[in-house]
Amino acid sequence: MTHDHDLVLRPTAAQTEAALNPPPGRIGGDLVVETLAGLGATTVFGLPGQHALGMFDALRRSDLRYVGLRVENNAGFAADAYGRITGEAAPLLLSTGPGALTSLAALQEAAMASAPVLAISSQIPTAGLGGGRHGYLHELPDQAASFRGVVKSVHTVRTQSQIPSAIAAAWKSALCAPHGPVWVEIPQDVLLAETALPVVTGVDATPDELPPRPELTAVAAHLLSHAARPAIVAGGGVVRADASKKLRQLAERLQAPVVTTFGGKGAFPWTHPLSLRSWLEDRHTTDFLEDADVLLVVGSGLGELSSNYHTFKPRGRVVQIEADLGKLESNHPALGIHADARLALQALLETVSERKDATAAERAQALLAKVAARIDSQQLTLEQQVLASVRRALPADAPSFWDMTILAYWAWSAFDPKAPNTMHSAQGAGGLGYGFPAALGAAAADPTRPVLAVSGDGGALYSIAELATAKQYDLNVTWLIVDDGGYGILREYMTDAFGSTTATELTRPDYVALAESFGVPGVRTAPETLEQDLAKALAAPGPSVVVLPALLRMFAPTHLG
């Protein structure tokens, strides 16, 4: 008897001939780019370095598009955004030592946000591996050790024949739920040496599915079907699994109000009658969720930001669906279901009973009214005006990428993303400098839509060099820089905590003149003209910069009382 897994495809005569006579002039780097192309990659990000030149030389013999950034960390942010927008693993080519290490903050953000990034770094020559102190340029005793606590998996190559399988295994790791960054390192001499290996053609790295266990979804469906006051917290896992429509169907069938986490923005329609929007940093929302007798948490670990700084204390049953096993019940006891959000929501749709609840939408709207009254009482008209202007200027389907800045903190709670997978920020790891380079990666992924980046002046200085990248590749990104002369949120934190500030004030350039020096159009605007100037910049092809001098304030927190 023949089993399916015993079948082996026999090569044709032409394939055999091609394998026996590979084209001349190929090196180890060609095996890298051939494998990437075979896996379906079309675009790679990165920055060349001496040890990595074998990969970059091979790029010119391939059809892969290369987008080169000016700082490795920014290249990592661009790859992160490309992965978020496309759902594909974004290759990131780096050099050894300082080049590799400079990408760590970006890879941490990708890990926290579950963005699929395939980082491929060079290494010192094979003779120097093993931890000895040989004095090679860029040498580290154990380069991979610097990444093991950050990425999903680490793959070290020692020979050319290992390259295709190592990259395929890393690709699969990056795309298995939960998505995340992975690390491959290849010695310089392996990349540079000529190769007689055949051209890489057959590569399969189909990610494994992560279905829920049926006995668990049966219990969850029973709890939700018989709940008196069910509610749902939708996290980034819903967006990454492309499960927003299934979430909406389930919420409507259960008549369960839905709040989205900051990473889950767009997972549920903002204006839906059952929408609690994203006001997680609000005690009224926390009270509402605590009052639920059954709380379904999908694609979220209920971490610090999603739990109103760990002040959330559920009184009812919690059902948690989470692809990251380490996040399952990590903060609250729950019926934990280790599964991809899409598959788990489909299982619940097939098993829950329809609930009738005439009060659910009324209770959701009453909550939003309480939140609005709290914010309106704080005299934050300027902040709400600026955010509303950004929303009106930005096309509904255009992606936006937000740095760690006061306007972004407002946007987490108060910005309507209009569609799933269109609003992204650095709130996963919380590092500065994400917004602009990430927007460049999104523009590379989809040049048909304008992309908005939002930064403060402090965060902007982290990635100002990428204006050259935006100009070189004519990427369709408008960069809004809110210039308040310092680290605005730290200014508020220090004033509240200590009564005065230290190290928060910044000397900064004329951002309009600086942009124009790169050949990028720039305009200085004001709150009253922001909508018009931003809309004009977004409508124009290519990169642009809009600078808004403004001192914005945060709304008062509710977790400190």
Side-chain angles (χ1 to χ4, degrees):
M1 183 170 63
T2 301
H3 299 281
D4 287 345
H5 57 262
D6 292 329
L7 296 177
V8 177
L9 294 177
R10 296 178 181 273
T12 65
Q15 289 172 327
T16 300
E17 177 65 22
L20 292 173
N21 297 282
R26 293 164 61 248
I27 58 176
D30 287 275
L31 298 172
V32 174
V33 299
E34 290 165 6
T35 303
L36 292 174
L39 289 165
T42 58
T43 301
V44 301
F45 300 89
L47 198 70
Q50 179 178 330
H51 290 160
L53 294 181
M55 289 190 290
F56 285 84
D57 177 65
L59 280 175
R60 64 185 173 89
R61 291 186 289 278
S62 81
D63 293 328
L64 294 175
R65 176 178 59 154
Y66 170 66
V67 179
L69 286 93
R70 301 313 196 258
V71 183
E72 288 86 355
N73 200 50
N74 294 335
F77 286 143
D80 166 304
Y82 188 96
R84 295 194 201 195
I85 292 293
T86 64
E88 303 168 3
L92 172 64
L93 306 185
L94 301 169
S95 193
T96 323
L101 296 176
T102 303
S103 73
L104 273 168
L107 294 176
Q108 184 191 11
E109 175 59 38
M112 299 297 288
S114 296
V117 175
L118 173 56
I120 304 176
S121 165
S122 57
Q123 250 288 21
I124 59 174
T126 309
L129 299 180
R133 298 178 65 94
H134 302 280
Y136 285 104
L137 181 70
H138 304 330
E139 180 178 333
L140 289 167
D142 186 356
Q143 179 174 278
S146 300
F147 295 86
R148 286 195 184 96
V150 176
V151 299
K152 279 187 70 178
S153 58
V154 170
H155 310 257
T156 298
V157 168
R158 299 284 182 140
T159 65
Q160 290 183 344
S161 62
Q162 295 175 2
I163 289 175
S165 293
I167 292 177
W171 179 279
K172 180 175 181 177
S173 174
L175 290 176
C176 284
H179 292 173
V182 294
W183 184 259
V184 180
E185 55 180 28
I186 309 172
Q188 178 189 28
D189 53 324
V190 175
L191 291 170
L192 289 174
E194 290 189 16
T195 184
L197 291 173
V199 173
V200 181
T201 55
V203 189
D204 181 17
T206 305
D208 298 327
E209 289 193 333
L210 186 59
R213 286 165 42 200
E215 72 274 17
L216 295 177
T217 53
V219 174
H222 176 81
L223 290 171
L224 291 164
S225 299
H226 294 88
R229 297 176 309 283
I232 299 174
V233 175
V238 176
V239 176
R240 290 186 293 275
D242 193 21
S244 300
K245 289 182 179 179
K246 294 185 184 299
L247 173 68
R248 177 174 179 170
Q249 289 177 308
L250 183 65
E252 291 174 346
R253 190 170 300 176
L254 294 171
Q255 285 298 292
V258 179
V259 63
T260 61
T261 69
F262 305 150
K265 298 283 286 189
F268 195 74
W270 191 256
T271 56
H272 192 284
L274 293 171
S275 176
L276 304 178
R277 303 187 175 176
S278 301
W279 285 99
L280 287 165
E281 289 191 53
D282 182 277
R283 190 63 222 179
H284 297 305
T285 302
T286 307
D287 290 341
F288 189 101
L289 297 176
E290 287 181 349
D291 186 57
D293 61 335
V294 180
L295 181 67
L296 174 62
V297 181
V298 190
S300 171
L302 289 180
E304 183 178 29
L305 297 180
S306 301
S307 63
N308 202 359
Y309 298 91
H310 294 301
T311 61
F312 168 61
K313 306 295 180 186
R315 295 191 295 271
R317 291 291 302 272
V318 176
V319 177
Q320 185 185 15
I321 297 168
E322 176 56 56
D324 187 336
L325 186 62
K327 293 181 179 178
L328 210 59
E329 295 192 78
S330 60
N331 286 304
H332 300 282
L335 174 66
I337 302 176
H338 182 218
D340 176 75
R342 182 180 181 87
L343 299 177
L345 288 171
Q346 180 61 40
L348 290 178
L349 281 170
E350 294 171 357
T351 48
V352 296
S353 302
E354 188 171 352
R355 286 184 70 255
K356 302 293 185 183
D357 188 347
T359 69
E362 294 175 4
R363 290 186 290 116
Q365 298 309 306
L367 168 64
L368 293 179
K370 290 180 182 177
V371 173
R374 183 177 79 85
I375 298 301
D376 290 344
S377 70
Q378 297 177 35
Q379 299 180 333
L380 297 165
T381 306
L382 172 62
E383 290 74 10
Q384 295 183 77
Q385 174 191 344
V386 168
L387 196 63
S389 294
V390 173
R391 178 62 279 176
R392 289 192 299 267
L394 185 67
D397 66 340
S400 58
F401 289 83
W402 303 70
D403 214 330
M404 300 296 286
T405 184
I406 286 179
L407 191 60
Y409 297 173
W410 269 93
W412 292 349
S413 295
F415 191 79
D416 176 3
K418 297 290 186 185
N421 202 29
T422 56
M423 180 181 172
H424 300 276
S425 70
Q427 56 92 22
L432 277 171
Y434 175 81
F436 186 52
L440 299 178
D446 182 0
T448 66
R449 298 181 292 176
V451 183
L452 174 67
V454 181
S455 300
D457 56 296
L461 289 172
Y462 275 67
S463 43
I464 207 76
E466 304 311 335
L467 283 168
T469 302
K471 178 65 176 178
Q472 179 172 346
Y473 298 98
D474 196 31
L475 295 170
N476 198 14
V477 174
T478 293
W479 192 8
L480 172 61
I481 300 174
V482 182
D483 185 357
D484 66 3
Y487 299 121
I489 193 65
L490 299 180
R491 184 189 287 139
E492 286 207 9
Y493 289 163
M494 293 194 78
T495 301
D496 291 344
F498 310 113
S500 60
T501 63
T502 304
T504 61
E505 306 313 301
L506 299 173
T507 297
R508 71 274 195 200
D510 180 336
Y511 286 102
V512 171
L514 185 57
E516 291 174 343
S517 75
F518 284 91
V520 174
V523 62
R524 184 172 287 98
T525 190
E528 297 76 22
T529 56
L530 173 61
E531 180 182 349
Q532 176 183 350
D533 289 336
L534 193 57
K536 182 179 179 181
L538 286 161
S544 57
V545 171
V546 177
V547 180
L548 173 65
L551 183 61
L552 305 181
R553 297 185 297 133
M554 274 302 295
F555 51 82
T558 64
H559 65 281
L560 300 176

